[in-house]
Amino acid sequence: MMRPRVPRPAAPRQALPAEIAARVLLLREDALVLDKPAGLAVHRGPRGGASLEDWLEKLRLGKRHLPQPAHRLDADTAGCLVLGRTKPALAALGAIFAAGRAEKTYWAILRGGPAEPAGRIDAPLRKVSSAARGWRMEVHPEGQAAATRWRVLGRAPGMAWVELSPETGRTHQLRVHCAAMGCSILGDPLYGAAAPEGLQLLARAIALPLDPPLRATAPPPRHMRAALAACGWREEPVA
């Protein structure tokens, strides 16, 4: 006689450490959106070091499985990162991102800046590597299709604050497309020039067609605020 299956109890929900709790932009049963700090890798690399994986147990919050990122975000890019909290939710999120149905909005500070107020760059990308320089992405007619819409939100001497809306999700797409326009992202050591402030790129907002729809917005990180303010951004007062 088979024994009845006893449901496994959910992990106890524990309070989040303050530094992590402050970065949870949205929490719901199926997903959470994290304001990932710049410099934190999503996955632990072969050399080790700090990564989002160190946070996952704390972000379990009573669920049976650890939350898992549903998409990629470069280590040096700050802002909205979506994690699935259940296996069905993670599968649904993966399908949305794979189908290009996620609405992603980025803010960047560019060196110089485009002359036009808005536009679209359609430039295929491929990965290349060499012993001297390692791997990187480049614009090439044989690469994968890649397109980005952009518009200027503000300007200052020698730089511009732009909104970037990728239509595809290629590796380093925004960084390469901005460099291809002749105005690399400030602080980009791979496609432009390094800067003490670091990479000036923020995953500003995300919108996903879930039920109910998921929407989240990340505040500008501290290392971008001086340049944003110079270009006309003003911090919204706390209500």
Side-chain angles (χ1 to χ4, degrees):
M1 180 177 179
M2 295 182 64
R3 295 181 179 179
R5 184 176 181 181
V6 179
R8 179 181 175 183
R13 180 165 179 169
Q14 299 177 343
L16 281 172
E19 68 274 15
I20 298 179
R23 291 194 169 274
V24 176
L25 300 171
L26 179 69
L27 177 63
R28 40 191 264 181
E29 282 300 309
D30 56 348
L32 68 89
V33 183
L34 195 68
D35 180 13
K36 188 190 79 66
L40 183 70
V42 173
H43 299 289
R44 187 177 292 114
R47 298 180 181 178
S51 75
L52 181 66
E53 294 180 29
D54 302 323
W55 296 21
L56 296 182
E57 181 60 47
K58 299 179 179 67
L59 290 167
R60 184 197 294 266
L61 297 173
K63 290 294 186 183
R64 179 179 300 180
H65 302 287
L66 296 178
Q68 296 295 330
H71 59 116
R72 299 188 304 268
L73 204 59
D74 290 348
D76 291 334
T77 302
C80 294
L81 179 69
V82 182
L83 291 85
R85 301 188 67 208
T86 66
K87 288 187 175 181
L90 190 61
L93 290 167
I96 288 172
F97 281 99
R101 298 172 62 208
E103 295 181 19
K104 296 177 283 186
T105 302
Y106 290 77
W107 280 2
I109 300 296
L110 305 187
R111 291 183 179 275
E116 299 81 9
R120 180 179 183 272
I121 179 169
D122 188 346
L125 302 176
R126 72 171 184 177
K127 185 177 181 178
V128 294
S129 63
S130 67
R133 302 182 66 182
W135 74 270
R136 57 191 286 139
M137 303 298 291
E138 69 172 7
V139 174
H140 194 279
E142 296 179 1
Q144 293 181 300
T148 304
R149 290 176 286 109
W150 57 268
R151 67 185 181 106
V152 177
L153 300 180
R155 298 181 187 271
M159 59 185 176
W161 163 29
V162 299
E163 177 183 273
L164 302 167
S165 300
E167 297 178 6
T168 50
R170 309 304 179 200
T171 301
H172 292 183
Q173 175 176 319
L174 302 181
R175 297 166 65 178
V176 180
H177 277 179
C178 288
M181 291 194 297
C183 39
S184 61
I185 297 176
L186 188 67
D188 187 346
L190 192 57
Y191 305 103
E197 300 83 3
L199 184 69
Q200 304 280 288
L201 180 61
L202 168 68
R204 171 64 171 171
I206 187 80
L208 303 177
L210 294 172
D211 184 18
L214 181 152
R215 295 181 181 275
T217 302
R222 194 171 300 278
H223 73 281
M224 287 182 63
R225 293 186 179 187
L228 285 169
C231 292
W233 169 77
R234 294 295 177 264
E235 185 170 3
E236 295 181 0
V238 178

